[in-house]
């Protein structure tokens, strides 16, 4: 499944006006390489000619979110996660990155899961991620 991405920050007013151009020089918090999210963001930066100032790289996303909440910088999040992050970490969405995508995979032991709980989980995930 593919998710749309967005940028999130605790300080948004100045950055929101000229988004995404306002992200050039902005302090950014990113996951460490070689994560898919990091790769997707680097591709998006290049495509949009954005040159952020990467001030933090994190192996752990919860730590990255905590630094973002404390005003440490702008960070990427999927549109699905952004809803929860705005509640839990009191951050705001700066804007959507229409060309940046995240991929999620679900693995099962067979090509057609038979257990009703597994089927419900997969169906629910497809609906939430497609929103």
């Amino acid at each position: 499944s593919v998710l749309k991405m967005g940028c999130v920050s605790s300080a948004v007013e100045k950055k929101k006006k000229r988004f995404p151009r306002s992200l050039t020089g902005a302090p950014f918090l990113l996951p460490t390489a070689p994560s898919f999210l990091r790769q997707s963001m680097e591709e998006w930066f290049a495509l949009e000619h954005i040159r952020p100032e990467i001030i933090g790289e994190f192996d752990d996303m919860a730590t990255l979110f905590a630094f973002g909440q404390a005003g440490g910088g702008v960070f990427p999040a999927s549109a699905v996660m952004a809803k929860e992050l705005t509640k839990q970490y009191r951050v705001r969405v700066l804007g959507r990155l229409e060309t940046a995508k995240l991929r999620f995979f679900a693995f099962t032991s067979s090509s057609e899961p038979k257990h009703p709980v597994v089927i419900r989980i997969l169906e629910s995930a497809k609906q939430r991620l497609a929103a």
Side-chain angles (χ1 to χ4, degrees):
S1 185
V2 176
L3 290 182
K4 290 187 177 178
M5 295 292 299
C7 282
V8 183
S9 176
S10 61
V12 299
E13 296 314 314
K14 291 180 188 175
K15 303 264 181 271
K16 212 170 186 176
K17 290 180 183 175
R18 293 180 41 242
F19 184 86
R21 296 286 166 244
S22 61
L23 296 178
T24 290
F28 247 88
L29 307 172
L30 292 173
T32 55
S35 73
F36 187 81
L37 176 55
R38 176 64 177 261
Q39 179 184 356
S40 183
M41 288 304 299
E42 288 179 355
E43 289 171 4
W44 183 81
F45 292 144
L47 181 69
E48 295 293 327
H49 307 288
I50 304 293
R51 289 177 178 69
E53 180 183 349
I54 300 171
I55 60 168
E57 298 182 51
F58 301 85
D59 288 326
D60 176 64
M61 291 303 287
T63 305
L64 185 152
F65 298 152
F67 272 79
Q69 177 186 24
V74 177
F75 59 95
S78 69
V80 171
M81 283 185 62
K83 292 175 187 177
E84 186 61 34
L85 292 172
T86 57
K87 291 178 193 172
Q88 183 176 349
Y89 291 95
R90 296 180 303 279
V91 293
R92 293 183 49 205
V93 175
L94 289 174
R96 294 196 187 278
L97 314 180
E98 296 300 328
T99 56
K101 306 272 191 254
L102 262 184
R103 294 187 189 279
F104 285 85
F105 300 92
F107 295 95
T108 63
S109 59
S110 69
S111 61
E112 293 294 324
K114 294 174 180 49
H115 195 285
V117 173
V118 173
I119 292 169
R120 286 181 56 202
I121 289 170
L122 292 173
E123 288 173 357
S124 175
K126 285 180 189 176
Q127 290 173 358
R128 289 190 66 191
L129 295 176

